[in-house]
């Protein structure tokens, strides 16, 4: 990913801790460290609209298949499959967090690279 991401300070710290605890693959760790190095940190109230963060419903389009998918990202302790919510620290969450509507990202999901375009970000809280 070439664009710089925008993160709240809390999400920035959460991702740093996730890396420190070795919860990512070596490839993910490398990409995430580079993203964090170049990330712009803001407070939650100063986070621009259209940025992927916690408590957000995100619609993406897989540019390889044309299929759209919706993710609802929440804090790790609030993620529940029965509510169709995912932790921001899942592969999809880490791939998309800090990106904005219109961004196209390349990320390796389960050893297969996918190209995703962010179509819509709706804040839930």
């Amino acid at each position: 990913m070439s664009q710089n991401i925008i993160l709240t300070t809390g999400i920035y710290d959460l991702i740093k801790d996730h890396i420190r605890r070795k919860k990512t693959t070596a490839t993910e760790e490398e990409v995430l460290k580079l993203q964090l190095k170049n990330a712009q940190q803001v407070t939650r109230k100063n986070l621009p609209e259209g940025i992927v963060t916690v408590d957000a419903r995100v619609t993406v389009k897989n540019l390889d298949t044309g299929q759209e998918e919706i993710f609802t990202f929440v804090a790790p302790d609030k993620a529940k499959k029965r509510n169709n919510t995912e932790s921001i620290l899942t592969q999809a969450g880490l791939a998309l967090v800090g990106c904005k509507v219109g961004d196209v990202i390349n990320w390796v999901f389960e050893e297969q690279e996918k190209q995703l375009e962010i179509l819509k970000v709706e804040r839930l809280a």
Side-chain angles (χ1 to χ4, degrees):
M1 176 189 304
S2 59
Q3 71 268 18
N4 292 341
I5 60 174
I6 302 172
L7 300 171
T8 63
T9 303
I11 296 296
Y12 180 93
D13 291 341
L14 188 67
I15 294 171
K16 275 188 81 160
D17 189 56
H18 192 66
I19 293 168
R20 186 182 58 76
R21 292 172 183 242
K22 300 290 185 197
K23 302 277 186 174
T24 60
T25 66
T27 305
E28 287 173 337
E29 180 178 337
E30 189 177 310
V31 171
L32 288 168
K33 282 182 174 179
L34 182 62
Q35 286 181 333
L36 290 177
K37 181 180 172 190
N38 297 312
Q40 176 185 349
Q41 289 186 61
V42 298
T43 61
R44 185 147 174 92
K45 74 174 190 168
N46 290 326
L47 187 68
E49 288 294 317
I51 301 291
V52 178
T53 190
V54 294
D55 298 326
R57 183 173 295 117
V58 182
T59 305
V60 298
K61 181 177 186 177
N62 182 324
L63 297 180
D64 302 317
T65 65
Q67 288 188 297
E68 290 186 13
E69 196 169 353
I70 298 173
F71 298 97
T72 303
F73 294 117
V74 295
D77 61 334
K78 295 197 168 43
K80 304 244 184 306
K81 279 292 180 201
R82 70 174 182 266
N83 296 339
N84 290 326
T85 56
E86 289 193 45
S87 165
I88 198 72
L89 296 178
T90 60
Q91 274 193 319
L94 290 171
L96 299 169
V97 69
C99 297
K100 64 185 179 312
V101 172
D103 283 352
V104 174
I105 61 135
N106 294 300
W107 195 267
V108 177
F109 293 92
E110 296 163 10
E111 299 181 20
Q112 178 184 359
E113 187 169 320
K114 292 183 182 179
Q115 190 174 42
L116 304 175
E117 179 181 4
I118 301 171
L119 301 177
K120 186 166 144 187
V121 176
E122 301 169 82
R123 295 251 181 99
L124 303 177

